[in-house]
Structure formats: C-alpha cells, structure tokens
Amino acid sequence: MKIILLGAPGAGKGTQAEKICVHYNIPQISTGNIIREAMKNETPAGLKAKEFVNSGALVPDEVVIEMVNDRLKQDDCANGYILDGFPRTVPQAEALDQMGVQIDKVLDIEVADDVIMGRMTGRRVCSKCGATYHTEFNPAKDGVHCDKCGTELTIRKDDEPETVKARLQVYHEQTEPLKDYYQNKGNLVMVEGVGALDEITAKILKALEA
Ligand SMILES: [Zn+2]
C-alpha cells in the first residue's frame, strides 16, 4: 500500500501514521528524516542539501525530489510506504508523477481550523522537567504550575496562536490544493480526524481498504 498523508498541522497525522505503518508493516517516510539521512549518508543529493542547510537556506524542490526518489527505491519500500510531508505543493506532486511513482491512496485527515487552534494553543510545557499539559484536555492542578516540579508553565513558540494561524494559512494556500489534484486522479480518501484516536484509526483503515 503506497499512501500519501495529507492534513493540516495539528490534524494528528503523526499519531495516525504510526498506526497505519504498523497495520501494513510499511515504513513512514517523512521529508525531515529523508533530508537528515541523505546528508548523513552523503548521497549526491544529500551533499547538495547540505550546502543549502549550512547556508541557512531551504532545500529547493528539485533536491528534495531527488532524495525522495532515492529513498523510495530502497528495499524496505518494496511493499509500500506512507509519505508524510511530501508532496507539500502541486508542483511537488507533479514531480512525483513524473518519477513514475504510483500512489494507491491519498489520505486526507480533516480537522476544522478552530479545533486545531484549540488543540495547539492549549498546550503548556514545563521548561524545567519537560512535562506537557493542555489547558482543556490535561490541565495542571492549579492551571499555572507544573504538577511535578512546581515551575511556571510556558507556551512554546510553535503553539502560540499567531504561529498556528500562520502555519494553517500556508497549509490552505500551498498544500490544500493537493486535495483537488488527487480528487481528480480518483485516489483521494477523506476521514474526519475528530474523536477518539482508536475510532479515527478504525475509520482510516476502513477508508484505505474501500
Ligand atoms: Zn516540571
């Protein structure tokens, strides 16, 4: 089963990807890992990526695409894989098609923006011991200090409302058009990513088998 995973940041893709990988015994391939591995192994594309990373620039599409292509040819991908974080734009999806990669299902986990805002902006962390809390789902006893060590809880930059909003906007502008792209190809499946985690997983597996 060759799967592309779509969904907004905070839609719960990571958690569900792990369960899908176990179910089908396939690797999860995320762009971040591919770039790190290729640089570590000093593949031709990895060496190119290194130059961009070292100069603080984003790794350009053509280099990422080369790394993805290399990665999908490895033995552990023979029975399939789940691609997470790639393609992120329509041009990247077109590049994947041009490589001759045949995708079975494109799974889109749908969660409304306001639900994502609630999930992410409610997160609190203890900078001292690393404990994590959520103002609604897993609050600290007094709401302000870490239960374990008493340190005042803080909000990570990634979880600040402005940051989450900006990331959602980028998703809607650049990545969401992929839904239409794959809908037109006939392999898009959409699952609502709200509710108990196990129920979402069950819905996903059913949709993938349909
Ligand atoms: Zn603590």
Side-chain angles (χ1 to χ4, degrees):
M1 179 74 87
K2 294 174 181 168
I3 303 164
I4 287 173
L5 191 53
L6 291 181
K13 286 186 307 215
T15 311
Q16 296 300 336
E18 279 173 29
K19 299 189 181 220
I20 299 166
C21 288
V22 170
H23 184 82
Y24 288 109
N25 191 24
I26 52 177
Q28 179 183 357
I29 303 203
S30 75
T31 326
N33 285 341
I34 290 182
I35 296 176
R36 273 190 297 275
E37 262 178 50
M39 291 197 307
K40 200 180 88 195
N41 297 333
E42 301 195 323
T43 65
L47 290 172
K48 281 183 225 166
K50 223 175 206 171
E51 284 179 31
F52 291 99
V53 170
N54 286 344
S55 66
L58 277 178
V59 181
D61 263 8
E62 66 264 26
V63 179
V64 176
I65 288 160
E66 191 179 336
M67 285 186 275
V68 170
N69 200 10
D70 290 344
R71 180 66 187 83
L72 298 185
K73 285 177 183 155
Q74 289 177 23
D75 291 344
D76 64 337
C77 290
N79 292 324
Y81 43 78
I82 179 157
L83 266 176
D84 177 15
F86 186 92
R88 207 181 278 279
T89 62
V90 170
Q92 288 184 348
E94 287 166 350
L96 203 58
D97 287 342
Q98 278 156 18
M99 284 187 244
V101 173
Q102 303 277 346
I103 297 295
D104 297 305
K105 292 278 180 309
V106 177
L107 171 69
D108 171 47
I109 302 180
E110 279 289 308
V111 179
D113 281 9
D114 57 337
V115 176
I116 288 176
M117 285 295 288
R119 281 182 189 176
M120 295 181 81
T121 62
R123 288 182 190 161
R124 298 291 180 274
V125 292
C126 173
S127 58
K128 194 172 176 200
C129 77
T132 57
Y133 299 87
H134 192 284
T135 52
E136 190 182 340
F137 308 121
N138 176 30
K141 284 197 188 89
D142 72 356
V144 183
H145 299 91
C146 179
D147 294 349
K148 290 174 190 152
C149 72
T151 305
E152 194 171 333
L153 300 175
T154 53
I155 305 175
R156 269 191 298 235
K157 180 122 191 40
D158 275 359
D159 298 332
E160 283 174 6
E162 290 313 309
T163 313
V164 177
K165 251 185 223 163
R167 289 179 65 200
L168 284 171
Q169 194 177 347
V170 170
Y171 172 76
H172 290 307
E173 285 172 9
Q174 298 186 1
T175 307
E176 206 164 24
L178 287 172
K179 289 198 291 195
D180 280 341
Y181 183 85
Y182 288 113
Q183 179 81 59
N184 290 336
K185 286 180 167 289
N187 54 5
L188 182 75
V189 290
M190 289 168 79
V191 171
E192 202 190 351
V194 180
L197 287 179
D198 287 348
E199 285 168 22
I200 300 170
T201 307
K203 278 193 286 186
I204 286 173
L205 294 176
K206 200 173 159 197
L208 290 174
E209 293 299 330

